[in-house]
């Protein structure tokens, strides 16, 4: 800690500041300043270069000298040179001058005429000669010669200067707008760096003042370590995790083998013995419908019902972050109460209030309910538990099930158009103020391109730059400022819409998260309703199409509609303005563009709508074709590491399958592409026809106007053509948006089907039946029954199969590798608890069907038999292959199922697995061993597995069998605590678990032959074929 503190002191606060990335701000300002000064320098050099570097004709030189002398006479006479010459050349003003000045003016005028006779274009002896009108020549020559030393008097140099000054001014404004106001990445500014860099710069400035007191830091923090002449912080060596010594490993396996060979008697504990009662949850999972506003949690007392027992129950939030966790006081009301079991009472129901959220579709969320401790009474904690080893008490999850549809409030049978409408409505509500910021930013684009730019151009041509209309330089600069301000606002609007539109983070990833949450909450049988490639394709392609062609088109269509409205408003406003100038007389020709606009727009909308149905069918066929080749490619990419086992013909079959599906998709794609493209050209042709007609009509009117037959200014012509160009552009944009929205509706239909699947179906049925069961809460129990009501209703010592019938769906994947089973009428099959049960008989698929039913993964057909077992007997079915997450190490996987870090590392070492390795690196036998260890750490009441020892190597088979039998005989994972953990943490963990009850465990294997050393009395064989 001291080393890191000293490193922060020396490297952060005393480190010289580094230059910011990108183009420096000061250099940018210097460049802009030089650009502003450049026209001055060029003009000054140009003025002197002409006078000194050009050879002038002698006659012209004498005339220039006399003209210069005459101008000086005018200046000495007290008359302003430019004003006097302007008055002279305008033919008046001579009366206002003295006689001497009048004579000088006559001389100047005569000399200008002499220069005209020589055919000289200007007084600086240019190589080009062009005859000029008398007044134009005199004006040009006199003005140039009157101030030959002033470069800005030359119009060409003046215009160049204005251009350069304007460019410099624009760059300065752009810089200030981007760096100071908008704070974009175009111009990095040191003023807006992170606080750390600012502090570093300040510390660098005061470094000399800190040097005298640096020894104090060394005294309190510690001396610096010199490494090769450089000052580096001393690194703290990481602590090495404790590992098992050889004798520890041998002792572990000896104790496991000893425990495996004997029966601890846990399985034979019965109800009513004078032993502590076991208090726990009746189920590993509970649920409640948000619409009902209640989730019911049932707490169970077993093994001893005598006496009064009080336990503390509270809600809790798990430390591990998850998007599925419910929030206190937002999704549910937290509780922290004491629950009382009266004498003879075995069940207590506790209702938790669920809070109503908005109607926006959300995934199923969950929270934890914990039995923290036994407050009083002869009892221990037990039952289902999802907490980690080091947690206090036992916990279960409560799921808040949603009845909301996606999109919200959508009718059951609605068209694609209505489905898209409800989706867009949901997106607008979900995006909140971000939607309106984006919409405002998008809608300013037509304001700039349709209103500001054309009207400014029209005003420039017909008002500011027309002397007959009183045009002045001030008007030009005013229009320049308006146009520049519009560009700045356009940039601001663009930044706003980019930062708030949320196409990826706000929509795409939200929908992909929704698909993921739905997929994770689906039960096993429901996973087969839609194959995995459908989910994958929907998450990648359908979501992207739904957002880009649905959600984003709201803004595009709003922008286009506003553009069309503004085009109509500008044309109509211009016609009304001209009528007001003509004493209220409205010419029919001025209204023709507006009438054409109103006629073409409905025609375009009708044509677009007429082709919608055909477009939808083609897009759906295209999506199905694309999904087929994605399925093949996804399978190949996911199983590429096993392709070495395929032969040449099998590889060729894969390639042929992909080629066929790809060719089929291309045919669908081409048909949809051509039809959609033709649909867009309907509006393009209409827009192009309108543009060409207006273009020709405006040209005829302009020609007529220039002949003097009518008044049609150039600015109006430019404005009219610009309006219809924008009209064509926005009409095509609307057509494209409509077609894209059809494409989005097809993808949305697929997402709609996935997100509205029923999740946690078994829990939903439990939540729907909550009203049928009278709650027996603490306050509701007045006189508890003498006999537990559930004791005789269910066989608590076995999993009971009665008249079970299971038919696998006839689809391509069915229910996976399980088969149909049908139990004999009247036969009851039992799998006893507290034993090591070996299933035999029947086919491998039939035995797997029995295990799947016993684990509750699937259920019998409705009305065709039952599989009954106490809900507190939590069962899991171990997968026949390693299902560990590929991006999680073995040790991390063990900690996720409840083990401590030390126990996870030690168990991996004992199983001869690399703790930091990922499951993909494990051979088949060790991968199965890793899966077995993880299942034992989950600590279910019943562990079911299909041939878990078959693929293990001989040297590990006995150890794996002894590990399973020790877990079963000792009553769960608590037996491993004293062996896998050491030190103070192990003592603390053992103290916490001393209040936990040791309960029976059951192992059900299929198809495995147990080692010979296993006592026969520990095994129980069930032959499903002749018996069931």
């Amino acid at each position: 800690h001291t080393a890191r503190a000293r490193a922060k002191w020396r490297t952060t606060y005393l480190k010289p500041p580094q230059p910011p990335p990108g183009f420096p701000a000061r250099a940018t300002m210097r460049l802009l300043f030089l650009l502003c000064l450049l026209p001055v320098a060029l003009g000054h050099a140009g003025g002197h270069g002409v006078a000194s570097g050009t050879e002038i004709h002698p006659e012209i030189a004498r005339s220039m000298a006399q003209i210069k002398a005459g101008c000086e006479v005018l200046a000495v006479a007290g008359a302003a040179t430019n004003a006097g010459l302007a008055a002279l050349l305008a033919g008046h003003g001579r009366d206002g001058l003295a006689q001497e000045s009048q004579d000088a003016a006559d001389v100047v005028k005569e000399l200008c005429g002499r220069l005209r006779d020589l055919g000289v274009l200007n007084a600086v002896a240019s190589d080009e000669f062009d005859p000029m009108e008398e007044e134009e020549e005199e004006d040009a020559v006199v003005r140039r010669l009157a101030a030959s030393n002033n470069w800005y008097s030359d119009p060409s140099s003046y215009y160049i200067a204005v251009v350069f000054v304007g460019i410099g001014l624009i760059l300065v404004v752009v810089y200030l707008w981007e760096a100071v106001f908008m704070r974009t990445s175009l111009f990095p500014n040191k003023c807006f760096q992170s606080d750390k860099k600012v502090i570093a710069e300040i510390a660098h400035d005061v470094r000399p003042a800190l040097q005298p007191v640096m020894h104090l830091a060394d005294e309190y923090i510690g001396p610096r370590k010199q490494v090769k002449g450089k000052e580096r912080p001393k690194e703290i060596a990481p602590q090495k995790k404790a590992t098992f010594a050889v004798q520890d490993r041998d002792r572990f396996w000896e104790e496991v083998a000893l425990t495996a060979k004997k029966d601890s008697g846990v399985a034979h504990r019965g109800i009513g013995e004078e032993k502590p009662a076991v208090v726990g949850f009746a189920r590993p999972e509970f649920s409640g419908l948000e619409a009902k506003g209640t989730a019911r949690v049932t707490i169970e007392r077993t093994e001893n019902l005598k006496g009064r027992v009080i336990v503390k129950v509270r809600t809790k939030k798990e430390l591990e972050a998850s998007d599925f966790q419910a929030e206190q006081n937002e999704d549910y009301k937290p509780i922290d109460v004491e629950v009382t079991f009266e004498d003879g009472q075995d069940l207590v129901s506790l209702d938790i209030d669920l809070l109503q959220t908005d109607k926006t579709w959300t995934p199923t969320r969950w929270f934890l309910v914990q039995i923290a401790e036994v407050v009083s009474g002869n009892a221990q904690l037990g039952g289902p538990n999802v907490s980690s080893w080091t947690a206090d008490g036992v916990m279960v999850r409560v799921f808040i099930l949603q009845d909301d549809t996606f999109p919200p409030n959508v009718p059951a049978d609605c068209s694609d158009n209505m489905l898209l409408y409800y989706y867009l409505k949901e997106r607008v509500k979900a995006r909140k103020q971000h939607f309106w910021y984006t919409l405002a930013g998008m809608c300013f684009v037509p304001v700039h391109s349709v209103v500001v730019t054309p009207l400014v151009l029209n005003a420039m041509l017909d008002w500011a730059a027309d002397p007959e209309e009183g045009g002045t330089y001030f008007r030009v600069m005013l229009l320049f400022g308006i146009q520049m301000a519009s560009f700045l606002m356009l940039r601001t609007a663009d930044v706003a819409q980019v930062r708030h539109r949320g196409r990826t983070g706000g929509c795409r990833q939200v929908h992909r998260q929704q698909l993921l949450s739905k997929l994770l909450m689906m039960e096993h049988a429901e996973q087969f309703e839609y194959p995995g490639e459908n989910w994958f394709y929907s998450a990648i392609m359908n979501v992207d199409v739904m957002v880009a062609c649905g959600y984003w088109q709201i803004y595009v269509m709003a922008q286009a509609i506003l553009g069309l409205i503004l085009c109509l408003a500008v044309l109509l406003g211009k016609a009304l303005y001209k009528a007001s100038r003509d004493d209220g007389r409205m010419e029919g020709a001025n209204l023709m563009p507006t009438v054409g606009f109103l006629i073409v727009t409905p025609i375009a909308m009708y044509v677009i709508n007429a082709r919608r149905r055909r477009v939808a069918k083609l897009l759906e066929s295209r999506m199905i074709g694309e999904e087929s080749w994605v399925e093949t490619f996804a399978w190949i990419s996911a199983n590429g590491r096993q392709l070495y086992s395929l032969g040449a013909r099998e590889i060729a079959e894969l390639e042929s399958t992909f080629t066929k599906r790809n060719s089929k998709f291309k045919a669908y794609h081409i048909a949809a592409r051509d039809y959609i493209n033709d649909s867009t050209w309907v509006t393009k042709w209409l827009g192009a026809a309108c543009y060409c007609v207006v273009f020709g009509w405006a040209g005829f009117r302009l020609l007529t106007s220039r002949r003097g037959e009518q008044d049609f200014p150039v600015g109006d012509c430019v404005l009219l053509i610009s309006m219809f160009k924008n009209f064509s552009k926005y009409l095509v944009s609307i057509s494209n948006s409509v077609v894209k929205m059809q494409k989005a509706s097809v993808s949305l239909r697929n997402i709609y089907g996935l997100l509205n699947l029923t999740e946690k179906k078994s829990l939903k049925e439990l939540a729907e039946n909550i009203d049928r069961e009278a709650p027996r809460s603490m306050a509701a129990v007045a006189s508890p029954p003498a006999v537990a009501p559930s004791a005789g209703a269910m066989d608590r010592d076995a999993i009971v199969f009665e008249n079970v019938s299971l038919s696998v769906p006839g689809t391509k994947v069915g229910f996976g590798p399980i088969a149909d089973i049908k139990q004999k009428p009247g036969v009851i099959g039992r799998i006893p608890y507290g034993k090591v049960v070996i299933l035999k008989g029947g086919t491998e698929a039939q035995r797997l069907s029995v295990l799947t039913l016993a684990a509750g993964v699937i259920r019998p057909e409705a009305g065709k038999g039952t599989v009954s077992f106490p809900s507190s007997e939590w069962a899991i079915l171990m997968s026949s292959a390693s299902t560990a997450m590929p991006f999680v190490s073995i040790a991390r996987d063990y900690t996720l199922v409840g083990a401590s870090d030390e126990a996870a590392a030690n168990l991996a070492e004992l199983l001869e697995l690399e703790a930091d390795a990922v499951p993909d690196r494990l051979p088949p036998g060790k991968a199965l061993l890793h899966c077995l260890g993880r299942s034992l750490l989950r600590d279910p009441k019943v562990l079911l597995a299909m041939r878990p020892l078959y693929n293990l190597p001989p040297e590990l088979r006995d150890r794996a069998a002894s590990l399973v039998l020790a877990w079963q005989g000792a009553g769960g994972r608590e037996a491993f605590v004293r062996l896998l953990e050491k030190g103070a943490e192990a003592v603390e963990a053992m103290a916490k678990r001393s209040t936990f009850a040791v309960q029976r465990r059951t192992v059900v294997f299929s198809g495995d032959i147990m080692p010979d050393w296993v006592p026969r009395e520990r095994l129980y064989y069930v032959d499903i074929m002749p018996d069931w």
Side-chain angles (χ1 to χ4, degrees), residues 56 101 107 304 370 714 759 798:
I56 303 177
S101 299
V107 172
N304 188 353
Q370 178 191 39
V714 176
E759 58 188 33

Side-chain angles (χ1 to χ4, degrees), residues 157-170:
S157 299
Y158 177 78
Y159 297 147
I160 293 175
V162 170
V163 169
F164 275 97
V165 171
I167 292 174
L169 180 61
I170 291 173

Side-chain angles (χ1 to χ4, degrees), residues 127 134 150 296 335 537 559 619 698 701 711 744 752 989 1012:
D127 294 333
E134 181 175 354
N150 299 328
R296 180 161 296 169
I335 62 170
Y537 177 81
Q559 183 187 79
L619 288 174
R701 288 201 64 186
D711 182 22
Y752 167 81
D1012 296 335

Side-chain angles (χ1 to χ4, degrees), residues 278-387:
V278 178
V279 178
F281 293 102
R283 301 174 58 89
E285 296 175 344
F286 295 91
S287 63
L289 289 174
E290 183 185 87
K292 290 182 176 292
T294 302
R296 180 161 296 169
V297 177
T298 305
I299 304 173
E300 182 181 41
R301 179 170 65 163
T302 59
E303 299 197 15
N304 188 353
L305 303 182
K306 295 181 179 181
R308 192 168 186 259
V309 175
I310 301 176
V311 294
K312 181 177 285 295
V313 181
R314 61 191 176 198
T315 55
K316 192 172 182 179
K317 184 176 181 180
E318 193 168 358
L319 296 179
E320 293 288 341
S322 173
D323 291 336
F324 304 142
Q325 288 195 59
E327 296 294 335
Q328 295 182 1
N329 298 316
E330 293 183 9
D331 299 307
Y332 66 95
K333 288 185 178 180
I335 62 170
D336 189 353
V337 298
E338 292 184 353
V339 176
T340 302
F341 288 88
E342 301 294 343
D343 185 24
Q345 184 179 4
D346 68 335
L347 292 175
V348 170
S349 295
L350 185 64
D351 289 345
I352 300 176
D353 293 333
L354 305 180
L355 302 180
Q356 297 291 328
T357 58
D358 57 12
K359 294 300 182 181
T360 304
W361 189 95
T362 54
T364 294
R365 302 179 301 281
W366 53 264
F367 60 94
L368 295 175
V369 178
Q370 178 191 39
I371 304 178
E373 60 179 343
V374 177
V375 178
S376 65
N378 183 23
Q380 291 179 322
L381 300 182
N385 187 13
V386 298
S387 64

